[in-house]
């Protein structure tokens, strides 16, 4: 009898010990098992948004635009989008690149203090916020686009590993500082180490093995958790994929991901772009099926806006309509030869107005009424 009891106790201990690493079996389990309630609510809300339509977002939308810059007036909330349709985007994207260096501005000269203020303002208005991180190469000291081998060095004990851990600690402090008026942490979407199936970043294809990339993703997440960051949803976001196998190559696993995304730009003309977006969103929909994961067109834009004055309605909308995505985010309006939304007097301005009128395209006012 004593032998039986000992076996039973041992079995229970093994079962309890393994529960923390069980695969995702519930659609309520997040990558961060200790995520705060606001994060759980955000994930549910993203699923609800997809039932109602598609949230429209833009990178750095409220920080600057064509011929204006809010560096000295962070309390102001405007955007090129608002100047055209009198509505803010439903989602704001910001980048943490250069925070790891201890700078007060990111790589696109956006003050981190402004990001924090605008995150708070947009969240109070019912909007969504997503962060990427174009961090420097920790080996060479170059930019994200410096493809000097670095991942292997991060994954082993040594000065580069220590540097990376210190960098994650810096962004951890920023994430934990994002709080609403009641002092509760604001839930945001974090899209790290993106476009890994391309060869242009030091963490990308050919710069490390798929297994090394997965280890880096998991290490980054574990470091954030160890720094007591519990207000993030983690978005996995490859560049354009050729197949489901392309998606799986670098995928760290369901236990480490909350949202699926893909980044696709219009480089080669409208027909190719539409074909790519359609096929890639089908891949995401298939991968999210059964897991109840939100998915999105996490980064996009047209490099030749002047080529089609009706691009928003004829190309983008017709391709993402009824796709199941929670949001679409276009890249930033940096200057007249590098912009991805519209602005007053721009060639697609009138068509963007028609795009905004689509019942299932959601801007900030429409998003506020959608709860989890």
């Amino acid at each position: 009898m004593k032998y039986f009891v000992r076996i039973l106790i041992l079995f229970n201990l093994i079962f309890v010990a393994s529960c923390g690493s069980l695969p995702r079996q519930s659609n309520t389990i997040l990558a961060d098992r200790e995520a705060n309630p606001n994060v759980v609510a955000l994930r549910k809300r993203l699923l609800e948004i997809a039932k109602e339509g598609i949230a429209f977002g833009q990178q750095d939308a409220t920080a600057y635009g064509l011929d204006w810059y809010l560096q000295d007036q962070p309390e102001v909330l405007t955007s090129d989008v608002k100047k055209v349709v009198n509505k803010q985007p439903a989602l704001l994207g910001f980048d943490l690149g250069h925070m790891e260096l201890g700078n007060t501005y990111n790589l696109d000269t956006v003050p981190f203090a402004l990001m924090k203020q605008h995150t708070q303002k947009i969240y109070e208005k019912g909007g969504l916020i997503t962060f990427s991180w174009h961090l420097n190469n920790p080996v060479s000291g170059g930019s994200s686009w410096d493809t000097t081998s670095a991942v292997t060095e991060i994954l082993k004990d040594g000065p580069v590993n220590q540097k990376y851990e210190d960098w994650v600690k810096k962004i951890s402090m920023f994430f934990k500082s994002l709080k609403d008026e009641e002092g509760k942490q604001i839930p945001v979407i974090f899209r790290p180490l993106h476009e890994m199936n391309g060869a242009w970043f030091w963490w990308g294809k050919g710069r490390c093995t798929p297994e090394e990339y997965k280890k880096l993703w998991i290490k980054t997440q574990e470091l954030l958790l160890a720094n007591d960051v519990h207000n993030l949803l983690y978005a996995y976001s490859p560049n354009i994929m050729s197949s489901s196998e392309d998606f799986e190559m670098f995928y760290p696993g369901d236990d480490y991901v909350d949202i699926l995304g893909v980044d696709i730009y219009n480089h080669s003309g409208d027909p190719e772009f539409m074909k790519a977006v359609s096929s890639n969103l089908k891949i995401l929909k298939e991968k999210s099926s059964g897991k109840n994961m939100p998915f999105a067109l996490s980064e996009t834009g047209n490099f030749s806006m002047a080529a089609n004055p009706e691009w928003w309605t004829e190309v983008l909308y017709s391709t993402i309509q009824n796709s199941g995505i929670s949001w679409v985010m276009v890249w930033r309006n940096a200057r007249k030869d590098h912009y991805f939304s519209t602005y007053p007097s721009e060639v697609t301005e009138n068509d963007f107005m028609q795009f905004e009128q689509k019942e299932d395209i959601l801007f900030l006012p429409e998003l506020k009424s959608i709860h989890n």
Side-chain angles (χ1 to χ4, degrees), residues 243-291:
S243 65
S244 294
E245 290 72 25
D246 198 6
F247 174 94
E248 296 289 352
M249 183 178 296
F250 293 90
Y251 188 58
D254 293 347
D255 287 349
Y256 304 98
V257 175
D258 299 307
I259 300 168
L260 306 180
V262 65
D263 297 357
I264 306 175
Y265 283 85
N266 189 350
H267 290 284
S268 304
D270 294 343
E272 286 298 315
F273 173 78
M274 296 172 74
K275 181 180 178 181
V277 170
S278 180
S279 63
N280 275 247
L281 294 186
K282 286 179 181 177
I283 291 173
L284 295 189
K285 188 171 187 177
E286 176 188 331
K287 295 299 179 183
S288 69
S289 179
K291 303 168 187 174

Side-chain angles (χ1 to χ4, degrees), residues 156-183:
K156 65 185 182 182
D157 290 338
V160 177
N161 170 60
Q162 186 58 57
K163 179 188 287 187
Y164 189 75
E165 291 187 4
D166 291 342
W167 285 2
V168 175
K169 188 175 293 185
K170 288 178 181 177
I171 68 167
S172 296
M173 292 174 64
F174 176 80
F175 281 135
K176 289 190 290 186
S177 74
L178 300 175
K179 296 181 180 181
D180 63 17
E181 292 179 333
E182 298 177 357

Side-chain angles (χ1 to χ4, degrees), residues 23 32 40 67 100 103 115 137 146 173 202 234 249-250 252 281 314 320 322 325 328 343 358 368:
D32 177 4
V40 177
D67 302 322
E100 71 276 5
N103 294 359
M115 288 185 201
N137 186 310
D146 182 331
M173 292 174 64
W202 58 257
Y234 293 87
M249 183 178 296
F250 293 90
L281 294 186
E314 289 187 352
I320 63 176
N322 298 321
I325 59 175
V328 54
Y343 57 88
K358 300 293 184 182
K368 190 172 184 178

Side-chain angles (χ1 to χ4, degrees), residues 15 31 72 89-90 99 152-153 180 198 203 205 222 224 276 283 286 333 343 351 369:
F15 177 77
D72 300 319
M99 182 174 285
T152 303
E153 294 301 313
D180 63 17
W203 59 83
K205 188 175 183 179
E222 289 178 343
L224 286 161
I283 291 173
E286 176 188 331
N333 279 13
Y343 57 88
D351 190 58
S369 63

